[in-house]
């Protein structure tokens, strides 16, 4: 299929026939890399695709000047691989658009290609229900730099999100970021050298499991922020992940919330309720393996709940942690504790924060989010006596989504 | 330029009426059908395929237009004979099925003033459809560019600064990124508060094509005319037109929580006052707030408007140059805000 045939005058009847015909059978639209108009040809394929179609990317590198977008439901974009011999969408010369690929339709399946060096976000999906991100590589190839784009994989305002077996490196905000969404699974993925490896923000019902979060500033973040259309984040399970060596100095542009994440953070829970952290393997997180805090910035949102509530941390393995706490006064506290603070850090505010792991907990003993951090009175705390919240049932995604990755 | 176009179109219309020579008609079947013709001429919207001579019956301008790289825009509406548009309670103009909104983009000093591209927004039975056409080199017809295109152009902005840009003709999806409300395509410009029918000939057409022509009274200021409103009012008009098509609760930037409609309360966090970045990435420019009252240099809304870096710039599509004059207005507005109010 030659998409530039639209440019020819006799294309009119052809197009008319194509559009008039019922989408009787799903088709595969093959697109090859190379050529001066590669950007246009690929974008046209994404526009003329019909529900059920597969847009197949050949092996090779697309040198793209503009962001791509997909707004047709039920389309698959399938590449020939994520490594250098696969299908590479290279945005190093990008001149426009806030992301490399934008998806705004439901039931889309993205698989087996790479998105490199976008100026803004890598792949964003907005209001795209039942999206599946699978076997993708989103990378800023020069490694951590403040000039890298913000989010690698970025679903937002969506119901039913699956992120499976992706690799994300170098995001100046979060490698995998799920925002204002519901019913989410992030699994079997690798996040390396991002500011935040994986972040679940202002979202409900998420399982984050069997991922590797390493050499980020912070490994896995569960956040809730004020003044957004969807807030009150809750019901998040973080389990069976390897979260280690998250030691990269924070390289987020200042002002963004993740710019406040101390290097050496394993899992960070801020202002959510019903969060379970269990069966993870933590090691070499210099500030803390698990940190539980309130939202401490001024806000004017009466509906916002800034405290962590109904949190349980259990059955995790704790390697070395707390030996380089990268927050104000951290070094003095570590010295007072004989060189390292305990692996679990709580700011002292919140409801029913339960830690059952057999490791130490350091509380900053801040009674509420209004008390400035300068008034912290750090001391060991025993949080094992509370009653953990009832276990969450776990996320079930529609079968149609699981079938795509089988 | 605008006047010339308007006068020309009016003259053509008059000529057709006076001489009785029928002009080639608008092809309503193509408009109403479901095809995406490869050539603009298939619609019969322009006389003899000339971009300078639209057959569209109604010309209009906007009090405050969207900035698009200093292009001159020429806007026309084709409403099928016997049908009328009407003004809804919220000031949105509802057009009948078969309507085409036509917008041509060009510069006075590029291609002798001929447009570079013409975008159609077609009201079909199933909803609005957006189609971008790029004019051919000979200027006689324009060709569908579903995938968009970068067109190199050199032009001078009103302050005589020379610009050399790769102007972005949007692809079909990008049309929708701006023209989207709850995921459906809608027109942006024709809202009563901002909508001005071209004076020549328009009186005659008002009652022919509008159910309630008296309701067509623009109320929003003209962003660059101090007589039309205060700095704050003109800044808000500018934000409404340049930002609020995405920055509203049903728009493409709904998740940002930044809402900049003319009707939004301009004192709130959701209008940007003391609002921390959300998913802004490099767009924060190392600043804490979208709008820091009294301090435009620490307001990243200004930072994003004054950037052309795709990872920073706002709006995300449709701009390869900085609108100095627009940014200056917003700077003045923020500078004049009392610092204590945040």
């Amino acid at each position: 299929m030659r998409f530039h045939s639209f440019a020819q005058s006799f294309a009119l009847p052809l197009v008319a026939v194509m559009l008039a015909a019922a989408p009787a059978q799903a088709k595969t639209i093959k697109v090859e890399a190379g050529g001066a108009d590669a950007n246009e040809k690929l974008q046209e394929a994404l526009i003329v695709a019909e529900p059920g179609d597969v847009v197949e990317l050949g092996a090779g590198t697309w040198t793209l000047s503009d962001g791509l977008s997909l707004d047709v439901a039920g389309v698959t974009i399938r590449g020939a691989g994520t490594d250098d011999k696969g299908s590479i969408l290279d945005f190093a010369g990008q001149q426009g658009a806030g992301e490399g690929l934008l998806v705004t339709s439901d039931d889309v399946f993205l698989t087996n290609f790479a998105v490199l060096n976008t100026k803004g976000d890598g792949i964003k999906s907005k209001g795209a229900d039942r999206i599946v991100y699978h076997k993708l590589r989103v990378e800023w190839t020069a490694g951590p730099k403040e000039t890298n784009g913000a989010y690698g994989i970025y679903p937002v305002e969506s119901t039913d999100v699956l992120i499976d077996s992706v690799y994300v490196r170098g995001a100046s905000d979060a490698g995998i970021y799920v925002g204002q969404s519901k019913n989410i699974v992030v699994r079997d993925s690798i996040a390396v050298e991002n500011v935040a490896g994986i972040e679940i923000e202002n979202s409900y019902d998420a399982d984050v499991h069997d991922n590797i979060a390493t050499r980020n500033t912070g490994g896995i973040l569960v956040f809730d922020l004020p003044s957004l259309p969807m807030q009150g984040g809750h019901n998040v399970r973080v389990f069976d992940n390897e979260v280690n060596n998250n030691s990269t100095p924070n390289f987020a542009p200042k002002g963004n919330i993740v710019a406040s994440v101390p290097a050496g953070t394993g899992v960070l829970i801020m202002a959510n309720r019903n969060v379970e952290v269990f069966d993870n393997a933590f090691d070499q997180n210099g500030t803390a393996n698990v940190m539980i805090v309130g939202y401490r910035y001024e806000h004017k949102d009466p509906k916002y709940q800034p405290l962590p509530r109904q949190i349980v941390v259990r059955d995790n393995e704790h390697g070395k942690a707390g030996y380089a706490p990268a927050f104000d006064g951290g070094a003095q506290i570590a010295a007072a504790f004989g060189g390292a603070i305990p692996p679990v850090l709580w700011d002292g505010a919140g409801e029913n924060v339960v830690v059952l792991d057999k490791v130490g907990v350091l509380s900053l003993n801040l009674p509420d989010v209004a008390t400035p951090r300068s008034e912290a009175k750090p001391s060991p705390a025993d949080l094992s006596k509370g009653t953990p919240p009832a276990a969450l049932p776990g996320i079930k995604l529609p079968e149609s989504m699981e079938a795509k990755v089988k | 330029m605008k006047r010339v176009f308007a006068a020309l179109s009016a003259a053509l219309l008059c000529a057709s009426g006076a001489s009785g020579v029928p002009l080639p008609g608008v092809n309503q079947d193509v408009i109403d059908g479901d095809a995406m013709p490869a050539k603009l001429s298939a619609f019969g919207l322009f006389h003899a395929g000339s971009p300078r001579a639209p057959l569209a019956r109604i010309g209009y301008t906007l009090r405050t237009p969207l900035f698009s790289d200093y292009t001159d825009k020429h806007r026309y509406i084709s409403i099928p004979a016997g049908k009328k548009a009407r003004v809804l309670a919220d000031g949105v103009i509802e057009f009948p099925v078969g309507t085409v909104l036509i917008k041509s983009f060009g510069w006075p000093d590029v291609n002798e003033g001929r447009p570079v591209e013409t975008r159609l927004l077609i009201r079909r039975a199933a909803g609005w459809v957006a189609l971008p056409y790029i004019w051919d080199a000979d200027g006689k017809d324009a060709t569908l560019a579903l995938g968009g295109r970068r067109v190199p152009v050199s032009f001078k902005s009103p302050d005589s600064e020379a610009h050399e840009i790769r102007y972005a003709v949007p692809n079909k999806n990008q049309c929708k990124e701006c023209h989207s409300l709850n995921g459906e395509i809608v027109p942006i410009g024709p809202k009563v508060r901002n909508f001005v029918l071209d004076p020549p000939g328009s009186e005659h057409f008002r009652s022919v094509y509008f159910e309630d022509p008296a309701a067509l009274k623009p109320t929003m200021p003209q962003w660059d005319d101090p007589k039309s409103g205060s700095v704050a009012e003109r800044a808000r008009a500018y934000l409404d037109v340049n930002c609020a098509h995405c920055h509203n609760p049903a728009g493409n930037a709904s998740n940002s929580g930044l809402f900049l409609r003319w009707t939004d309360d301009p004192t709130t966090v959701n209008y940007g006052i003391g609002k921390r970045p959300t998913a802004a990435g490099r767009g924060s420019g190392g600043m804490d707030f979208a709008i820091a009252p009294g301090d435009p240099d620490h307001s990243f809304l200004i930072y994003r408007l004054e950037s052309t870096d795709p990872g920073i710039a706002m709006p995300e599509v449709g701009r390869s140059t900085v609108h100095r004059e627009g940014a200056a207005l917003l700077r003045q507005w923020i500078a004049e805000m009392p610092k204590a109010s945040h």
Side-chain angles (χ1 to χ4, degrees):
Chain A
M1 171 148 242
R2 293 158 59 86
F3 292 97
H4 52 273
S5 65
F6 283 120
Q8 294 164 18
S9 56
F10 53 77
L12 168 57
L14 170 70
V15 177
V17 167
M18 271 174 50
L19 293 175
Q25 202 154 18
K27 61 186 179 299
T28 295
I29 304 172
K30 183 94 191 257
V31 187
E32 298 295 347
D37 55 353
N39 208 128
E40 274 176 50
K41 279 193 287 184
L42 177 48
Q43 182 58 66
E44 284 190 3
L46 298 176
I47 287 170
V48 301
E50 294 176 287
D53 288 354
V54 176
V55 175
E56 192 177 321
L57 310 177
T61 298
W62 277 260
T63 301
L64 296 159
S65 61
D66 278 278
L68 300 164
S69 56
L70 173 64
D71 189 42
V72 183
V75 168
T76 294
I77 304 178
R78 184 192 305 279
T82 62
D83 64 12
D84 290 345
K85 294 190 178 70
S87 303
I88 311 289
L89 305 180
D90 181 356
F91 289 90
Q94 187 179 0
Q95 297 166 29
E99 55 283 307
L101 171 62
L102 174 66
V103 177
T104 48
S105 46
D106 296 338
D107 297 293
V108 165
F109 179 32
L110 307 175
T111 185
N112 220 26
F113 60 91
V115 168
L116 304 186
N117 298 320
T118 54
K119 301 293 184 191
D121 303 314
I123 307 176
K124 176 178 177 180
S125 54
K126 179 172 183 294
D129 294 346
R130 294 174 300 282
I131 189 160
V132 177
Y133 293 87
H134 177 240
K135 287 189 182 166
L136 302 170
R137 173 165 66 110
V138 178
E139 186 173 4
W140 286 269
T141 51
K145 283 171 73 176
E146 187 177 326
T147 50
N148 293 349
Y151 300 142
I153 286 178
Y154 175 16
V156 66
E157 289 187 342
S158 301
T159 299
D160 301 321
V161 173
L162 174 57
I163 297 170
D164 184 324
S165 307
V166 305
Y167 173 92
V168 184
R169 174 172 176 252
S172 70
D173 198 302
I176 297 169
Y177 171 96
V178 184
Q180 300 182 56
S181 292
K182 294 177 192 168
N183 219 44
I184 301 146
V185 174
V186 180
R187 69 188 180 204
D188 298 316
S189 293
I190 299 173
V192 54
E193 291 183 313
N194 309 283
V195 173
I198 299 167
E199 182 173 357
I200 307 294
E201 189 171 277
N202 291 56
S203 289
Y204 311 158
D205 305 313
D207 278 354
V208 179
H209 68 93
D210 292 286
N211 303 287
I212 297 171
T214 186
R215 303 204 312 276
N216 305 285
T217 302
I220 299 173
L221 275 45
V222 182
F223 276 18
D224 200 61
L225 302 178
S227 301
L228 292 176
M230 179 170 166
Q231 58 191 43
H234 63 269
N235 293 5
V236 180
R237 307 195 307 165
V238 178
F239 60 99
D240 289 331
N241 302 286
E242 291 178 34
V243 184
N244 57 51
N245 194 19
N246 289 293
S247 51
T248 297
N250 197 313
F251 60 102
K254 189 176 160 284
N256 292 290
I257 187 72
V258 298
S260 64
V261 174
T265 298
V267 168
L268 173 53
I269 299 163
M270 185 176 74
N272 260 255
R273 70 169 169 81
N274 294 87
V275 180
E276 301 177 2
V277 179
F278 59 96
D279 293 339
N280 300 286
F282 293 107
D283 195 18
Q284 305 284 329
N285 297 302
T287 292
N289 285 336
V290 180
M291 206 186 307
I292 302 159
V293 301
Y295 178 83
R296 296 188 164 274
Y297 295 98
E298 188 192 354
H299 70 86
K300 294 173 182 165
D301 184 346
K303 298 191 297 293
Y304 180 64
Q305 190 16 298
L307 297 174
R309 293 147 292 143
Q310 318 302 329
I311 311 293
V312 62
V313 178
R314 63 174 174 85
D315 301 310
N316 300 288
E317 279 176 34
H318 290 268
K320 204 177 162 208
Y323 48 86
F327 54 86
D328 284 350
Q332 293 93 313
I333 303 172
F337 277 80
I341 63 172
V344 179
L345 176 62
W346 178 40
D347 69 1
E351 292 168 15
N352 200 28
V353 175
V354 178
V355 179
L356 301 175
D357 287 351
K358 304 277 184 279
V359 294
V361 177
L362 178 73
S363 172
L364 299 180
N365 291 305
L366 296 163
D368 52 45
V369 289
T371 308
R373 258 175 283 206
S374 56
E375 292 183 25
K377 298 180 183 65
S379 72
D382 181 357
L383 300 181
S384 66
K385 306 295 186 222
T387 307
L392 296 168
I395 302 303
K396 281 208 167 39
L397 293 169
E399 263 311 307
S400 63
M401 296 174 70
E402 295 287 1
K404 287 174 177 167
V405 298
K406 264 176 192 153
Chain B
M1 197 66 188
K2 272 175 199 148
R3 291 290 168 260
V4 173
F5 265 79
L8 186 56
S9 79
L12 281 163
L13 289 163
C14 292
S16 77
S19 68
V21 176
L23 286 168
V26 170
N27 191 337
Q28 199 63 42
D29 288 344
V30 173
I31 293 170
D32 293 340
D34 58 3
M36 298 188 285
K39 287 293 182 181
L40 182 61
S41 55
F43 292 96
L45 291 164
F46 289 88
H47 176 61
S50 165
R52 292 173 192 266
L55 272 170
R57 299 169 177 87
I58 306 159
Y60 70 100
T61 57
L62 299 177
R63 295 274 285 170
T64 293
L66 173 73
F67 174 76
S68 307
D69 287 335
Y70 292 103
T71 47
D72 267 351
K73 300 182 193 177
H74 302 284
R75 305 172 181 85
Y76 310 98
I77 307 174
S78 174
I79 296 178
K83 292 190 179 177
K84 292 187 183 190
R86 65 193 184 109
V87 177
L88 304 181
D90 59 0
V92 170
I93 301 173
E94 185 186 69
F95 294 99
V97 169
T99 297
V100 188
L101 305 182
I102 305 145
K103 188 154 67 163
S104 293
F105 296 68
W107 294 263
D109 51 348
V110 173
N111 291 346
E112 292 141 8
R114 279 183 283 120
V116 169
E117 57 149 335
T118 293
R119 304 179 194 171
L120 303 184
L121 208 52
I122 307 172
R123 179 72 174 92
R124 286 175 165 164
W128 289 94
V129 176
L131 296 177
Y133 287 85
I134 297 175
W135 284 89
D136 301 337
D138 64 9
K140 288 185 175 156
D141 203 347
T143 302
L144 182 63
L146 283 182
R149 192 169 303 156
R150 290 268 170 187
V151 181
V153 291
S154 306
F155 65 92
K156 281 195 170 132
S157 48
D159 61 0
S160 295
E161 185 185 344
H163 299 268
E164 228 173 276
I165 64 168
R166 289 169 54 76
Y167 173 75
V169 177
N171 66 54
K172 185 169 179 281
N173 286 351
Q174 288 171 325
C175 295
K176 186 176 168 185
E177 282 173 36
C178 292
H179 285 269
S180 166
L181 205 64
N182 289 320
E184 300 294 323
I185 294 182
V186 294
I188 302 170
K191 294 186 182 75
V192 160
R193 62 176 180 254
N194 199 26
F195 180 84
V196 185
L197 280 177
D198 271 352
S202 66
E203 285 303 327
H204 170 67
F205 293 110
R206 277 175 197 251
S207 58
V208 175
Y209 290 108
F210 290 88
E211 275 185 10
D212 183 9
L216 295 173
K217 285 205 175 69
T219 51
M220 214 158 62
Q222 188 176 319
W223 72 279
D224 58 350
D225 178 6
K227 291 194 294 295
S228 70
S230 67
V231 167
E233 287 165 343
R234 288 185 287 123
R236 285 174 47 222
Y238 188 89
L239 293 172
D240 178 87
V241 171
N242 285 275
C243 314
H245 46 272
C246 288
H247 281 282
N248 74 74
N252 206 36
S254 54
N255 57 299
S256 68
L258 179 68
F259 303 136
L260 297 170
R261 294 165 298 183
W262 180 247
T263 47
D264 286 311
D265 180 349
T267 64
T268 62
V269 171
N270 289 115
Y271 204 78
I273 311 292
K275 186 181 191 305
R276 294 181 182 279
T278 308
R282 290 192 292 132
S284 78
M287 302 171 207
D288 287 328
F289 303 115
I291 297 172
D295 194 353
D297 285 335
H298 291 93
S299 299
F300 68 80
L301 181 143
I302 298 292
Y303 176 73
R304 303 193 81 164
L305 280 172
E306 291 182 347
S307 173
T308 55
D309 180 327
I312 297 169
M314 283 285 161
E316 285 186 340
V317 293
R319 184 170 73 74
S320 303
T321 49
V322 175
H323 189 205
R324 296 281 168 215
E325 300 79 4
L329 172 69
L330 296 180
R331 278 184 167 276
Q332 188 184 354
W333 168 60
I334 293 173
E336 289 176 2
M337 288 179 191
K339 284 198 179 188
S341 76
H342 118 77

